[in-house]
Amino acid sequence: MSSAAVEGLDLPAVDRFLAARVPGYAGDLRAELMTGGRSNLTYRLTDGVSTWVLRRPPLGTLTPSAHDMAREYRVVAALGASDVPVAPAVALADDSVIGVPFAVVGFVGGTVIADESGLAALADDDVRRCALGLVDTLAALHAVDPASVGLADFGRAEGFLRRQVRRWYGQWERVRTRELPDVETLHARLDAACPDESGTAIVHGDFRIDNTILDPDDPARVRAIVDWEMATLGDPLADLGVHLAYRDPAFAPILGGAAASTSDRMPATADLAERYARASGRDLTDLGFPLALAYFKIAVIAEGIHQRHERGDTRGDGFATVGEATAPLAAAGLRALGGPRSSKGQP
């Protein structure tokens, strides 16, 4: 921790903000950047007595509707009254404090497993238990009645899949750095085949192992789900599709080539889907479209990170390989739908 200047964070302004809103705040705020650039910037804060996590949008030009701090904060605050594990909500700031909105939540201690080295300390049985525990937690999130936690108006579930296809292609047009025919073909096929929603649930939008904090003594137990910036009301199978797509080795370059979710030690995608079906009671017969949509979405996210890295707007290590994921993810999306890839090939 350091009280020195931290890029992207006006510490004196945050100090004043916390002093006015947090009972017992001790002052002398210190901060360090925990992650930066793939999504929102995340900082660990402490006054020497308590510890918090602050999240703000990334540096540079942002795509419309992305990095909505108020939405992220609202869903975390609402789920605090449920059995879904989340960090305790503390405060939300508009852009008048540091120039951009930010959210502050309590720090949750535990284990975050991002890459294969994080799995190395676990026995094979614990790796499997961890993966199945994540699926159970996702099913528990989808079981929450949005109205029961004040989120009945958190999104429009009807037409969700169609809006997702449209939204992520709009993002693609803003962030692409090159021509990738498979992305265009995947979008066209998703647009043509878009079904009705399978149901309505609170969806996380980016549920994977490193967006959770695990109990160090029991890796099957999730202490908190984090990174809620994409949360909304929508089709729960779209959320499952994202989680399953992260199991594909095509995702690995986004986390530097050794993502925990793509490890051979993890259960097969079919095993994870079967666990979700049992835990949720949902019919997974038509999982091809949600899975293909997930690949499309993650491909666009990868390209957006790649674009920010090319502009110099990312902070930290591990961004040089992210752009390598975009084309393979699009190709995987086409395979999920069935049928050939683009005849134009990939550069």
Side-chain angles (χ1 to χ4, degrees):
M1 289 286 182
S2 173
S3 58
V6 178
E7 186 178 19
L9 205 61
D10 182 341
L11 276 180
V14 176
D15 176 73
R16 293 189 296 270
F17 176 81
L18 294 178
R21 288 163 178 81
V22 178
Y25 178 66
D28 188 26
L29 184 65
R30 288 164 286 167
E32 66 176 351
L33 180 66
M34 297 173 67
T35 62
R38 284 185 177 82
S39 59
N40 290 326
L41 301 180
T42 305
Y43 303 83
R44 182 174 178 177
L45 311 177
T46 185
D47 63 355
V49 178
S50 300
T51 306
W52 305 276
V53 172
L54 181 151
R55 279 168 61 79
R56 56 145 290 172
L59 304 175
T61 304
L62 304 181
T63 51
S65 79
H67 316 291
D68 188 335
M69 303 311 306
R71 287 185 62 81
E72 179 169 349
Y73 185 80
R74 181 185 174 192
V75 70
V76 169
L79 288 172
S82 76
D83 292 332
V84 176
V86 292
V90 175
L92 174 69
D94 61 23
D95 58 8
S96 66
V97 180
I98 64 170
V100 294
F102 66 85
V104 181
V105 298
F107 177 80
V108 177
T111 302
V112 176
I113 298 176
D115 55 31
E116 291 184 4
S117 67
L119 295 175
L122 301 181
D124 288 344
D125 183 60
D126 282 338
V127 171
R128 180 175 178 81
R129 289 178 57 249
C130 174
L132 298 181
L134 290 171
V135 172
D136 291 346
T137 301
L138 184 62
L141 169 64
H142 295 162
V144 174
D145 176 8
S148 72
V149 293
L151 293 176
D153 62 345
F154 194 57
R156 292 182 294 124
E158 184 178 355
F160 170 79
L161 296 176
R162 176 69 63 187
R163 290 195 305 276
Q164 285 285 293
V165 173
R166 185 169 60 244
R167 174 192 174 187
W168 288 105
Y169 188 68
Q171 301 280 58
W172 169 254
E173 291 184 311
R174 295 180 184 95
V175 303
R176 64 180 170 191
T177 63
R178 55 224 156 134
E179 294 298 320
L180 294 178
D182 275 358
V183 176
E184 302 293 340
T185 302
L186 178 57
H187 166 254
R189 294 189 59 194
L190 288 169
D191 188 56
C194 192
D196 293 333
E197 286 66 39
S198 70
T200 299
I202 301 167
V203 296
H204 180 274
D206 196 26
F207 190 82
R208 63 179 193 252
I209 185 172
D210 55 310
N211 278 341
T212 66
I213 300 170
L214 306 176
D215 188 328
D217 298 322
D218 182 4
R221 178 174 175 265
V222 177
R223 284 188 169 179
I225 306 171
V226 299
D227 292 11
W228 290 88
E229 65 187 87
M230 295 183 188
T232 189
L233 299 187
D235 188 334
L237 296 192
D239 222 15
L240 174 64
V242 168
H243 187 62
L244 297 180
Y246 284 137
R247 178 67 185 85
D248 194 308
F251 168 69
I254 297 179
L255 292 185
S261 62
T262 66
S263 169
D264 290 341
R265 299 181 66 201
M266 283 288 189
T269 301
D271 294 337
L272 298 177
E274 181 183 357
R275 178 67 169 228
Y276 179 86
R278 290 205 308 269
S280 68
R282 299 181 187 275
D283 181 3
L284 304 189
T285 302
D286 298 320
L287 192 57
F289 183 91
L291 186 57
L293 176 61
Y295 279 117
F296 180 60
K297 171 180 173 178
I298 300 168
V300 175
I301 291 171
E303 188 73 0
I305 297 169
H306 175 65
Q307 184 199 63
R308 291 204 301 274
H309 179 63
E310 293 283 292
R311 290 198 312 245
D313 288 336
T314 51
R315 298 296 180 270
D317 300 323
F319 297 101
T321 63
V322 175
E324 298 172 11
T326 308
L329 286 166
L334 290 172
R335 289 194 296 272
L337 283 177
R341 294 171 53 192
S342 166
S343 61
K344 297 180 181 178
Q346 299 292 331

